[in-house]
Amino acid sequence: MTQDRPVVTGSRLESPVRVLPDPDYLGDVIISERVVAKIASQAVYETPSAGAAAPRLFGSVAPGAGHMGIRSSDLAARPKTSAQIDSSVVYVDMAISVRWPESLADVTERIRDTVEDRIKAWTGLTVARVRISVTDLVA
């Protein structure tokens, strides 16, 4: 793609000069925050000791939520995850449930490492923070 720019010398307008784009420039890639959140969610989904957390209401699990069509804690489901991208830096937040009696420190460390590695490998973005809230233990 070329652009024509008129050249002004003194008071008269001369014929346009063709400006060719840099041949090494391949364009911009814009990665959506939803895509990054799904990558993080999939990383948790692939961890057998963790999964989706039950919805919470005023700090406690909402009783009977399953009957209203609201999801419950499920180790075979993807957790609720959000991501914010600031330039090339990512901040991830997620709420998960963990299988009892797994070590919370071990499971969250494994998830954090997997999420950071996966986002870096698939998007090239740098992960600054992965905030994990463990909201439920599942037997």
Side-chain angles (χ1 to χ4, degrees):
M1 183 168 150
T2 62
Q3 296 176 335
D4 293 335
R5 294 187 184 160
V7 177
V8 178
T9 58
S11 63
R12 67 178 234 235
L13 186 64
E14 295 186 9
S15 64
V17 175
R18 289 215 177 265
V19 178
L20 298 174
D22 180 11
D24 295 331
Y25 179 70
L26 299 176
D28 295 326
V29 175
I30 299 170
I31 300 172
S32 167
E33 291 176 345
R34 288 180 53 204
V35 170
V36 174
K38 286 185 187 248
I39 291 170
S41 181
Q42 180 66 24
V44 175
Y45 176 71
E46 294 172 5
T47 304
S49 305
R56 306 198 62 83
L57 184 63
F58 302 117
S60 60
V61 175
H67 299 298
M68 296 184 293
I70 301 172
R71 64 184 170 82
S72 60
S73 293
D74 185 2
L75 296 178
R78 287 171 182 79
K80 183 176 180 182
T81 306
S82 65
Q84 291 80 40
I85 301 174
D86 182 16
S87 185
S88 64
V89 179
V90 178
Y91 303 91
V92 178
D93 295 311
M94 59 180 60
I96 66 170
S97 59
V98 175
R99 182 182 314 277
W100 174 259
E102 296 282 333
S103 165
L104 295 179
D106 291 345
V107 171
T108 55
E109 181 181 354
R110 202 171 30 214
I111 289 171
R112 189 171 283 111
D113 292 343
T114 304
V115 167
E116 288 175 3
D117 293 344
R118 201 64 68 77
I119 290 173
K120 180 68 174 169
W122 290 5
T123 66
L125 299 171
T126 303
V127 179
R129 181 196 72 219
V130 178
R131 184 170 35 203
I132 302 173
S133 299
V134 178
T135 61
D136 201 9
L137 297 175
V138 180

